[in-house]
Amino acid sequence: MPDPGANTSDSSAEKRRIHEEWAAKGKYWDRRADEIAEVAANLNRPLIEAARIEPGQNVLDLASGVGEPAIQIA
């Protein structure tokens, strides 16, 4: 749990660091998006088929990372 008395400048610096880290990772994902989508489709297809989801059913996406397989299910 964060310390409510923590120095806000330390908190701001940490937020900047995290933002920069994710921005750098985003560039990687952008470059490899098509390749990653193909791999995700191949991994998720059997999972989706095994779930036997029917039209009209609701599916809960719980902590599936970037949204797969929920995106394919939708």
Side-chain angles (χ1 to χ4, degrees), residues 16-63:
R16 274 194 304 279
R17 184 193 68 75
I18 292 169
H19 179 270
E20 290 169 2
E21 185 177 308
W22 279 102
K25 290 177 182 178
K27 292 175 187 175
Y28 167 83
W29 285 103
D30 284 344
R31 286 193 310 267
R32 312 256 337 251
D34 292 339
E35 178 185 345
I36 292 167
E38 184 178 341
V39 170
N42 290 333
L43 291 172
N44 290 320
R45 192 173 299 112
L47 175 66
I48 293 168
E49 290 171 3
R52 298 183 188 161
I53 300 165
E54 299 290 331
Q57 288 182 316
N58 294 316
V59 177
L60 174 63
D61 174 3
L62 183 61

